[in-house]
Amino acid sequence: MTVIFPDSQPSTPLQDPLLPWLWSVKQALEDWNSGKESGSDLTKLLSDCIAAFKDNDQYRDDIRFLKIWFFYMDFSEDFGSVFQKMWESKICVGNALLYIWYASFLESKGKLYDASMVYQMGISRNAKPVEWVKKAHALFLERMSEIVSSAQTIGNDESITFGSLTNPWSSSTMKVLLKKINHELMKYDGYQCTTKPYSGKVPLSSLKNSSRNKTIEIGRTKYQIIGCAGQGGFAQVYKAYVSCNPDDVVALKFLKSLADTKACFPLGVLYVSSTESTDLRQGTYSSAIILLMEHFRDGITKAGSRYGNDLTKDGFRDRSGPWHDQGLCLVDWGRGIDMHLFPDNMEFKGDCRTSGFRCVEMQENRPWTFQVDTYGLCVVVHMMLHNSYMEIEKKLSPEGGYIYQPKSSFKRYWNAELWRNLFKKLLNSSPGGNDKKLLQDLRETFQDYMCSDPQLIKKLSELLVKQRASLCA
């Protein structure tokens, strides 16, 4: 959740007294995420901001102020009282976002009945736009029905029966698959499992509020928490030193417990070790699921460019020699799916609930398979081109029917046709298409373009050397 700053009609502190507070909160959040500031300092800033403006009519219906309340609520152990105070101050009580955000917050805490009541309250109060609340409530009810669904069952022979369309992230599916693969998990290097509560001196639940310089012990190894490296809807990621050694930096990813939250358990992270560049050791506790992974400075680019200096044209097409180690590294498997656990030609129907990565089929409630990955690839490419998440639009196709394409236009000095073809093919692939052949053909078009002019490969080599230098600085 980000604080919205005005992008038109520039305001001054005299016109908008909240504005300096928003900048302060933004800076404090950046400092907290980088480990420069403690959670208690950020909590006090949010509390002071709320106290200063909670009775100010100017901000009663201001979405920016509503977000400040939710930031504060996320840091508070007694979030119910925070919401009560927000309700008494009548903050955005007529706005649909108040009910959608709070219901989602309650769902993340496992308070499903309360979340349903909040949705119904928003609908009964006709919060604007009420269609948003109704749609969010319908999706919530769909998720809840999947939790109690008995479509997936385990027989005496441990065989699994799936419906024709399965939500791979539903609670029932997770329980079935986890039981099936449990013995395989134990083979992973560093894997530990216990049903006993975590007994360390520093409680895991306290890391979110103040994480700097705390030391925790996992699997007989001590980790010094340096700061929060990132936070999403399903996990928090912390930067840590192994045995207090600043030269041995790792990322600790704390995932929500399925038993505690009834939330979607990310199956894919159990198989990160299939990626050679990621060192996976996993410990599971009654209160948390923890992944220990390599720490990357940048979530988008991972420099295979740290290897090799003599990147010539030779070996570019077949990726041999120094080119073998160039490329991107996938670092977030939080919503991954192990297709080996499902029957061949399995189709899915479910929503990953990861903003910005919901493929067209998810958005339109249609079955999907590889489309979730090709859409994700488009999102990554779009981010590298435009430095923003991709938004798509549906337009009439000259060949008839509709076609999906990014809203952002290509710059004139780019090879626009090359990029346009990539997005067209990946965003409009047919359900029965050959996804591997599609990706291979697209790769060849880019290779042909690069090999058409030796100066292009030379320029790419120079850019990779600069990237390596900046990452090593």
Side-chain angles (χ1 to χ4, degrees), residues 254-272:
F254 289 74
L255 297 134
K256 296 174 182 177
S257 169
L258 176 66
D260 291 341
T261 67
K262 300 289 193 289
C264 297
F265 183 88
L267 266 183
V269 296
L270 302 178
Y271 298 94
V272 176

Side-chain angles (χ1 to χ4, degrees), residues 51-307:
F53 296 100
K54 66 182 180 66
D55 298 320
N56 190 326
D57 291 339
Q58 180 180 351
Y59 299 106
R60 191 149 286 156
D61 295 313
D62 194 315
I63 297 300
R64 301 173 304 166
F65 192 42
L66 177 63
K67 288 190 175 185
I68 294 293
W69 280 90
F70 272 95
F71 275 130
Y72 181 63
M73 187 185 301
D74 204 36
F75 280 87
S76 175
E77 294 183 0
D78 188 8
F79 56 85
S81 64
V82 177
F83 181 80
Q84 184 61 34
K85 292 176 182 177
M86 181 169 58
W87 185 259
E88 292 171 355
S89 297
K90 294 182 169 54
I91 305 299
C92 293
V93 293
N95 195 304
L97 291 178
L98 169 66
Y99 305 92
I100 295 173
W101 287 351
Y102 189 53
S104 298
F105 184 87
L106 290 171
E107 183 181 352
S108 71
K109 299 294 184 181
K111 297 184 177 295
L112 306 183
Y113 177 79
D114 293 341
S116 181
M117 292 298 100
V118 170
Y119 281 122
Q120 294 180 37
M121 183 191 302
I123 295 172
S124 66
R125 290 179 173 270
N126 200 33
K128 305 296 183 183
V130 72
E131 292 78 17
W132 289 8
V133 188
K134 291 180 178 178
K135 183 175 181 180
H137 189 215
L139 291 172
F140 169 81
L141 293 176
E142 182 179 327
R143 292 193 295 273
M144 295 307 101
S145 66
E146 291 164 355
I147 289 178
V148 299
S149 173
S150 58
Q152 294 83 22
T153 60
I154 299 182
N156 294 331
D157 60 352
E158 300 293 325
S159 62
I160 299 180
T161 303
F162 295 97
S164 57
L165 291 174
T166 295
N167 183 345
W169 301 299
S170 70
S171 176
S172 53
T173 303
M174 294 299 158
K175 289 179 180 178
V176 169
L177 296 180
L178 286 173
K179 184 172 182 180
K180 178 185 179 185
I181 66 174
N182 188 55
H183 65 285
E184 293 294 330
L185 299 181
M186 299 178 183
K187 298 178 182 178
Y188 285 103
D189 182 31
Y191 175 83
Q192 295 183 42
C193 182
T194 178
T195 57
K196 298 179 180 179
Y198 174 73
S199 58
K201 294 182 179 180
V202 178
L204 297 178
S205 59
S206 72
L207 290 178
K208 186 176 181 181
N209 296 329
S210 178
S211 58
R212 188 172 177 79
N213 291 328
K214 288 188 175 179
T215 299
I216 62 174
E217 184 172 341
I218 304 173
R220 296 181 295 280
T221 301
K222 292 184 178 180
Y223 300 91
Q224 180 185 1
I225 305 296
I226 303 305
C228 184
Q231 178 175 339
F234 304 100
Q236 287 84 41
V237 181
Y238 297 92
K239 179 181 178 181
Y241 294 157
V242 179
S243 301
C244 299
N245 181 4
D247 294 326
D248 192 355
V249 184
V250 296
L252 294 173
K253 187 169 185 176
F254 289 74
L255 297 134
K256 296 174 182 177
S257 169
L258 176 66
D260 291 341
T261 67
K262 300 289 193 289
C264 297
F265 183 88
L267 266 183
V269 296
L270 302 178
Y271 298 94
V272 176
S273 60
S274 62
T275 302
E276 294 180 358
S277 59
T278 303
D279 174 26
L280 173 69
R281 287 161 284 175
Q282 176 169 321
T284 302
Y285 299 88
S286 60
S287 59
I289 299 162
I290 306 169
L291 296 179
L292 179 60
M293 298 177 289
E294 184 178 354
H295 179 266
F296 295 115
R297 289 178 54 184
D298 192 319
I300 285 289
T301 59
K302 192 289 190 179
S305 54
R306 288 185 288 184
Y307 311 101

Side-chain angles (χ1 to χ4, degrees), residues 10-35:
S11 300
T12 67
L14 290 177
Q15 297 170 323
D16 186 3
L18 180 64
L19 190 57
W21 288 85
L22 296 178
W23 286 112
S24 296
V25 170
K26 180 176 183 292
Q27 184 61 53
L29 281 169
E30 292 175 352
D31 291 344
W32 179 71
N33 285 331
S34 62

Side-chain angles (χ1 to χ4, degrees), residues 360 363 375 390-396 402-409 427-428:
V360 172
Q363 297 178 35
Y375 188 91
M390 180 177 67
E391 294 184 21
I392 60 173
E393 57 185 355
K394 186 177 182 180
K395 287 193 171 183
L396 286 172
Y402 292 92
I403 190 172
Y404 297 91
Q405 62 184 35
K407 288 184 179 180
S408 301
S409 57
L427 292 177
N428 299 277

